[in-house]
Amino acid sequence: MAIAGLGGVGKTQLVLEFAFLIKEARPDYSIFWVPAFSREAFEQAYAEIAIRLGIIHTGENEEVKSLVKKHLEEQTGRKWIMIVDNADDEDILFGAQLEDGIVEYLPESEDGFILFTSRHQKAAVALANSDVIELGQMSAWEATDFLGKSLTRKELLCDDSETTELLNELTHLPLAIAQAAAYLNENKISVSKYLYLLRNTEQDMASLLSREFRDRTRYKYSKNAIATTWLVSFNQIRKKDPTAAEMLALIAFIEPKAIPRSIFPPIKPEERLEYAIGTLCAYDFITRRENEDIYDMHRLVHLAAQIWTRKHDLANATETKLIKHLNGVFPPNEYENRDLWREYFPHALALLQANKESHLKEVYSLCVKVGLCLVVDGRYREAISWLEMSFSWCSHNLPEEDSDRQLSQHVLALALLDNGEVTKSIELLQVLVRAQNSLAERDPKRLISQHVLSRAYLDNDQVDEAIELLQYIATIQEEVFEDHHPDRLASEHVLARAYLRKGRTEEAIKILQHVVSTAEKTLEKQHPDRLISQHVLGRAFLENGEVKKAIQLLQHVVTMRENHFDEQHPHRLEGQHFLARAFLADGQKTEAIKILQHVVMVRKGLLGPQHPKFLESYNLLSLAKEREENASQAI
């Protein structure tokens, strides 16, 4: 039988306890303990067994191993258990370079039982076939009990919530708990101080978890620190499966949770990648989620992998390779790709966070791609921080006419506009549009910059300038694009908004009905572009006094957005706000108040009490309550 599991999970301690229980309950059994982390340790253990059994030998190691095996196979009626600990290295176990593996010297007998411990699932299966027990992490109560027994100052456990926090940070891993207890015992600090060091900086965490300590239940020369205990396995992987080692290094620089398979650089043939993933899974360094090509890495293993890559000078080359790959595969911000770019987000952000000072062009290209998707997701402030970083680099390193610089400038202006920073957006866009005067009048990049500038004019109450620019854009787009082209529909949509602001409601409704009708034929029900056009048409109906039509359309928009957008998404909140306005216009004051109370609460937390959007909803809520109160008094 084999006990398999992550290094530090307590395999050796478990079989030690098992050995003592057998010794107490079944004194007729002989128990032999054989370390297998090296050939020398194995041979030394067999030499000691030979002495205990009274086996006469000539001193040749080979002969000792063979004689011990023969003795245990031939001594019928004598019960024995052999524990082969740390059976991890396949070369040591099964042989390499003309050397026999130690399995050649393991006895086989009806009277005996061999129990292996192994960090390596593949080795465990090869040794014990299906008789493998996987040892997982401790339960919460087991971890608490173990910590309590390991501490000299039991009063440190008085605060249950603090203890729970510590154990959660250590992921209930026995070796990490033992290390923490040793540190607390030796340095006489509090649990809260240890937690602070764990959470303070990555350097503090790495230093803390790399600190060696004495543990009598582990081998004399073994690495006890949690951050270094897996280095032996990492080096075994590097020697036996370079592809798996490369993947391990890559994972060290992205988030350890929810890692999509597609984020790995392509490897041919495909079987090599599958085998490499299998190697990392076999060591329990990553685990595959059920029925998904998504993987998780133990958080402390992730830290150890970072230490390992830096120790072997792999960090810079690995990060560079990963950034270039991720920049190449990061999906466009189209709605259809939403699930995929949401999978990539945390990993791209982790890479960007660690490379803020980089001079690699792909870093700033990735910033733009991430920023665009954050804008679609309504996370404008996050988008702006990455887009400003990209534009700053581009401004210092690329000429004004460079297409990458112009894209960075355009996307930053778009994010600023959506976040309500209209003046900044206009300044950037006017500079951009002037820089694009050298482009052909029909160039799509020039047209889309002018389109966003017209939006900014509209949001800045420069309605006449917006209409003039939009009519110019529309004239060119009619010649360049088909009737259903997204860019043409987007410009018509903004032009209709501008007409609404000028009181030209009938013209706005006519344009919007065309845009909505076209979008309903070409886009899915939940597509943001289709919903935003329906939203503005609902507002136009409301302005035109067609309240019932407005309510019907806005209810549809709100329902679709609630199903597909987060609670704090600006488009979802905007739809709810205008539906409440329509309810209020229809005399449905209670319904309006219910919606507005929610919108006001979310916008206050999201935007703050001085933001115009919050004040807009707050004032409408006050009006709705006033009308309800007046109605009650009249009754």
Side-chain angles (χ1 to χ4, degrees), residues 156-188:
L156 291 177
L157 297 178
C158 290
D159 189 328
D160 291 342
S161 62
E162 210 172 55
T163 302
T164 300
E165 278 187 65
L166 175 62
L167 294 173
N168 286 341
E169 285 288 329
L170 301 174
T171 63
H172 294 183
L173 193 68
L175 184 58
I177 296 170
Q179 183 179 19
Y183 197 92
L184 290 166
N185 290 339
E186 292 169 8
N187 296 286
K188 298 190 179 342

Side-chain angles (χ1 to χ4, degrees), residues 517-534:
S517 173
T518 307
E520 286 174 351
K521 293 173 187 172
T522 57
L523 300 175
E524 296 178 4
K525 268 187 176 183
Q526 70 273 18
H527 197 287
D529 291 350
R530 175 170 167 174
L531 291 173
I532 201 165
S533 296
Q534 291 170 329

Side-chain angles (χ1 to χ4, degrees), residues 574-592:
E574 190 78 352
Q576 291 166 334
H577 172 90
F578 276 94
L579 177 58
R581 265 190 61 183
F583 277 142
L584 193 57
D586 197 44
Q588 299 184 52
K589 294 177 284 292
T590 304
E591 287 297 319

Side-chain angles (χ1 to χ4, degrees), residues 2-16 85 116-119 121 124 132-139 142 172-175 282-284 287 298:
I3 307 291
L6 184 67
V9 81
K11 301 177 296 296
T12 298
Q13 286 72 14
L14 177 66
V15 295
L16 267 173
D85 193 31
F116 300 94
T117 73
S118 182
R119 301 179 178 196
Q121 181 77 14
V132 178
I133 295 174
E134 290 191 49
L135 187 59
Q137 69 179 30
M138 283 181 160
S139 66
E142 285 172 330
H172 294 183
L173 193 68
L175 184 58
Y283 278 96
D284 272 344
T287 55
H298 193 289

Side-chain angles (χ1 to χ4, degrees), residues 494-537:
V494 179
L495 180 60
R497 281 181 54 206
Y499 284 163
L500 272 178
R501 293 282 289 277
K502 290 293 283 186
R504 297 162 64 175
T505 310
E506 294 291 345
E507 291 175 87
I509 288 174
K510 184 178 179 181
I511 293 172
L512 286 165
Q513 284 177 325
H514 163 71
V515 172
V516 168
S517 173
T518 307
E520 286 174 351
K521 293 173 187 172
T522 57
L523 300 175
E524 296 178 4
K525 268 187 176 183
Q526 70 273 18
H527 197 287
D529 291 350
R530 175 170 167 174
L531 291 173
I532 201 165
S533 296
Q534 291 170 329
H535 167 85
V536 178
L537 179 57

Side-chain angles (χ1 to χ4, degrees), residues 166 169-170 175-177 179-180 183 194 197-198 202-213 224-230 299-301 303-304 307:
L166 175 62
E169 285 288 329
L170 301 174
L175 184 58
I177 296 170
Q179 183 179 19
Y183 197 92
Y194 194 87
L197 292 172
L198 270 178
E202 188 177 293
Q203 290 79 9
D204 272 332
M205 185 182 183
S207 176
L208 190 66
L209 298 181
S210 300
R211 189 77 60 186
E212 289 292 336
F213 68 102
N224 296 332
I226 192 63
T228 54
T229 190
W230 298 298
R299 192 169 60 85
L300 299 180
V301 174
L303 174 68
I307 293 170

